[in-house]
Amino acid sequence: MDTWKRNWSYVEQLFKYTTDIRRIKYTTNIIESVNSSLKKVVKKGSFTNADSDLKLLYLRVKELDKKWATVHMYN
């Protein structure tokens, strides 16, 4: 609670952003999340050729798509 109190002026500024700015920040966070997820997949399961990595990336994108479809269905 102390951290919130000490930093409230910074947090409060986030609520003052316009809808457009908040939408851009939200979109940027999604992009960063996808990039991070893809990097983890390739790093974990790197194979000897590019086709194998592309298949891994494709499967991860399909998983993310399924996950987001479920999340957005309830929003």
Side-chain angles (χ1 to χ4, degrees), residues 9-68:
S9 62
Y10 300 109
V11 174
E12 189 177 33
Q13 291 175 9
L14 297 174
F15 297 116
K16 294 179 183 178
Y17 288 139
T18 64
T19 305
D20 292 334
I21 298 294
R22 282 184 278 149
R23 187 176 298 125
I24 290 168
K25 288 186 72 55
Y26 178 71
T27 302
T28 302
N29 289 341
I30 292 171
I31 293 168
E32 289 174 8
S33 174
V34 170
N35 287 339
S36 172
S37 180
L38 295 177
K39 283 180 186 177
K40 285 178 187 175
V41 168
V42 174
K43 189 177 193 179
K44 247 195 270 187
S46 255
F47 290 101
T48 55
N49 64 43
D51 286 340
S52 298
D53 283 340
L54 286 175
K55 287 177 186 176
L56 279 175
L57 293 172
Y58 172 79
L59 291 172
R60 183 59 185 150
V61 168
K62 294 294 279 181
E63 288 172 357
L64 292 173
D65 184 48
K66 204 179 294 185
K67 174 184 165 185
W68 290 333

